[in-house]
Amino acid sequence: MNNLPRTNTARLAQQIQFVIELDKLKTVLRQTLLTDASRRENSAEHSWHIALMAIVLAEYSPVPVDVLRVIKMLLVHDLVEIDAGDTFCYDLQHNDSKSDRETEAADRLFGLLPADQAADLRSLWEEFEAQQTADAVFACSLDRLQPLLNNQQTQGGTWKANGITCDRVLQRMAPIAIGAPELWEFVQQLLEDCMTKGFLEPEREETQGMSGGA
Amino acid sequence: MNNLPRTNTARLAQQIQFVIELDKLKTVLRQTLLTDASRRENSAEHSWHIALMAIVLAEYSPVPVDVLRVIKMLLVHDLVEIDAGDTFCYDLQHNDSKSDRETEAADRLFGLLPADQAADLRSLWEEFEAQQTADAVFACSLDRLQPLLNNQQTQGGTWKANGITCDRVLQRMAPIAIGAPELWEFVQQLLEDCMTKGFLEPEREETQGMSGGA
């Protein structure tokens, strides 16, 4: 980082340093392709997309959600990937070590902020991870729905590239059944449609834990 | 767009179509470089960055702001670029036609949504453009501050590439003096510091409207 000039307060210096650090999330690539299939999506633009989805789709939560809390949660939910990287959701092996890597990342990243703000944003991240509140479950539903749409738009993009079958996608999308039941019906129809069109394969007879390419 | 399966309601179909359309903002490039100078920033990840800045820096607004409204405004403020493209802020010629192009884009893009949501998000975009409310002025301050930080981190990135001098940057940053006065002091120090380091040139004797390269 280029040195910054002195700020009036140590608090502002910490906040500006955090803001500059955020930029790195733009270089963390996910497996998902953009809808035009031109490149992989990064975690910063993904976070923007689902934050805006929270506004547009809030009415589908079966219980009222606090939209500001949901948006804040979604804006910070992937920050830990700056240090821990994005772990492909269907990669069972690397998901084993994910929690430890991400906790360490959270210590460093939220630790850049003044203590009150660090505690506030970290607790939102932890709430998202724990999936025990209505806000967190709805937020998670959007985090699952967006790559589904992108995979549909790219004719099976990540699924086809990694041999992911419909049963595994359905399992991954399960939070939507609770967080946004009306959307769950749409998700099931979409997956049926993707199978009909050959964008997605049905369950294989012998499912192996994690196929080499996935 | 790949055809989507039928949804239960026309309302959901409109919302999903809007959500899919959003993806295109990830392909709209701004002049600003990422802090690691690896590539130009796109408008979707930029919007994420400043929405998160609204949470961290809200305390610097001299009047209380409604953080949810500010965030919503920032999440949608660049949407029109999907059709109108990003207009470089120092490009006087193309800024003349910007307003018409963006109004047309707003008609189409917000028009994808159900009427109530279209009206809600469009009015937030119009409020941001009009700069007549505290929420809009604070939101604008963040929209100006973020590229400033990225230009400082990239040793003058966009400024050097386009021959932009300090007087023009100061003029561009002016909303920060109103929207976040404590940050304005920091901005001035940062620009002084950038001039000392040779990242930014002071005002030229003969300033020309818009230099060829800028």
Side-chain angles (χ1 to χ4, degrees):
Chain A
M1 185 187 292
N2 270 315
N3 288 336
L4 291 165
R6 197 194 305 262
T7 54
N8 281 342
T9 64
R11 180 172 176 85
L12 178 57
Q14 287 177 295
Q15 291 163 325
I16 296 288
Q17 199 176 359
F18 179 77
V19 165
I20 290 174
E21 189 74 16
L22 293 179
D23 207 77
K24 294 180 183 166
L25 194 64
K26 301 170 188 170
T27 65
V28 175
L29 294 183
R30 295 161 48 81
Q31 292 296 323
T32 313
L33 298 175
L34 299 193
T35 54
D36 69 0
S38 59
R39 61 169 173 83
R40 284 164 64 189
E41 184 187 43
N42 71 61
S43 293
E45 59 199 5
H46 159 71
S47 300
W48 164 78
H49 203 162
I50 57 180
L52 202 32
M53 285 168 68
I55 298 168
V56 173
L57 301 175
E59 67 202 58
Y60 297 102
S61 172
V63 289
V65 287
D66 179 334
V67 178
L68 177 57
R69 291 190 81 249
V70 170
I71 290 176
K72 285 169 76 170
M73 219 178 263
L74 290 171
L75 292 175
V76 303
H77 85 293
D78 272 346
L79 274 191
V80 292
E81 295 180 358
I82 288 175
D83 286 354
D86 178 62
T87 307
F88 185 35
C89 59
Y90 299 104
D91 181 344
L92 302 179
Q93 194 181 343
H94 285 95
N95 272 288
D96 276 352
S97 64
K98 186 181 166 193
S99 173
D100 285 351
R101 284 183 286 124
E102 293 196 342
T103 301
E104 209 171 308
D107 290 344
R108 186 186 79 78
L109 287 159
F110 294 118
L112 294 173
L113 282 168
D116 59 319
Q117 295 190 319
D120 180 39
L121 294 189
R122 189 183 180 129
S123 76
L124 282 169
W125 172 70
E126 286 172 350
E127 183 177 330
F128 180 84
E129 291 292 310
Q131 287 297 304
Q132 298 298 314
T133 63
D135 288 352
V137 174
F138 181 65
C140 178
S141 302
L142 304 173
D143 188 41
R144 303 290 161 95
L145 179 61
Q146 183 262 337
L148 177 83
L149 293 172
N150 281 44
N151 276 321
Q152 191 268 351
Q153 288 293 305
T154 52
Q155 313 200 346
T158 312
W159 303 327
K160 292 204 97 160
N162 297 287
I164 307 299
T165 49
C166 185
D167 55 310
R168 297 187 67 192
V169 178
L170 266 175
Q171 198 179 349
R172 177 76 187 158
M173 296 299 141
I176 301 175
I178 303 159
E182 267 190 78
L183 300 181
W184 180 238
E185 215 167 306
F186 168 71
V187 166
Q188 288 172 304
Q189 280 166 356
L190 190 82
L191 289 175
E192 280 297 328
D193 191 63
C194 284
M195 284 194 290
T196 306
K197 288 178 175 156
F199 300 169
L200 179 65
E201 296 296 319
E203 185 171 8
R204 275 174 299 217
E205 292 283 321
E206 296 174 42
T207 307
Q208 289 155 3
M210 166 74 186
S211 74
Chain B
M1 185 186 293
N2 270 314
N3 288 337
L4 290 165
R6 199 194 304 260
T7 53
N8 280 343
T9 64
R11 182 172 174 86
L12 177 57
Q14 288 177 295
Q15 291 163 325
I16 295 288
Q17 199 178 359
F18 179 77
V19 165
I20 289 174
E21 189 73 16
L22 294 178
D23 207 76
K24 295 181 182 166
L25 195 62
K26 301 170 188 169
T27 65
V28 175
L29 294 182
R30 295 161 49 80
Q31 293 295 323
T32 313
L33 298 174
L34 298 193
T35 55
D36 69 0
S38 60
R39 62 170 173 82
R40 284 164 65 188
E41 185 187 42
N42 70 60
S43 293
E45 61 198 2
H46 159 71
S47 299
W48 164 78
H49 202 162
I50 57 180
L52 202 30
M53 284 168 69
I55 298 167
V56 173
L57 301 176
E59 68 200 56
Y60 296 104
S61 171
V63 288
V65 287
D66 179 333
V67 178
L68 177 57
R69 291 190 81 247
V70 170
I71 290 176
K72 284 168 77 170
M73 218 178 265
L74 291 171
L75 292 175
V76 302
H77 85 295
D78 272 346
L79 275 193
V80 291
E81 296 180 358
I82 288 175
D83 286 354
D86 179 62
T87 307
F88 184 35
C89 59
Y90 298 105
D91 182 342
L92 302 181
Q93 196 183 341
H94 285 94
N95 271 286
D96 276 350
S97 64
K98 187 180 166 192
S99 174
D100 286 350
R101 284 183 286 124
E102 293 195 342
T103 302
E104 210 172 308
D107 290 344
R108 186 186 78 79
L109 288 158
F110 294 119
L112 294 172
L113 283 167
D116 60 319
Q117 294 190 320
D120 180 40
L121 294 189
R122 187 180 182 133
S123 76
L124 282 169
W125 171 69
E126 286 173 350
E127 183 178 330
F128 180 84
E129 290 293 310
Q131 287 297 302
Q132 299 297 315
T133 63
D135 288 352
V137 174
F138 181 64
C140 178
S141 302
L142 303 173
D143 188 42
R144 304 290 162 96
L145 180 61
Q146 184 263 338
L148 178 83
L149 294 172
N150 281 44
N151 275 320
Q152 190 266 352
Q153 289 293 304
T154 52
Q155 312 200 347
T158 313
W159 304 328
K160 293 202 96 160
N162 296 288
I164 307 299
T165 48
C166 186
D167 54 310
R168 297 186 67 191
V169 179
L170 267 174
Q171 200 180 348
R172 178 79 186 155
M173 295 299 142
I176 302 175
I178 302 159
E182 266 189 80
L183 299 181
W184 180 239
E185 213 166 308
F186 168 71
V187 166
Q188 288 173 305
Q189 282 168 353
L190 190 83
L191 289 175
E192 280 296 328
D193 190 63
C194 284
M195 286 196 287
T196 306
K197 286 176 176 157
F199 300 169
L200 179 65
E201 296 296 319
E203 184 170 8
R204 274 175 298 217
E205 292 282 319
E206 295 172 46
T207 308
Q208 291 153 0
M210 167 74 187
S211 75

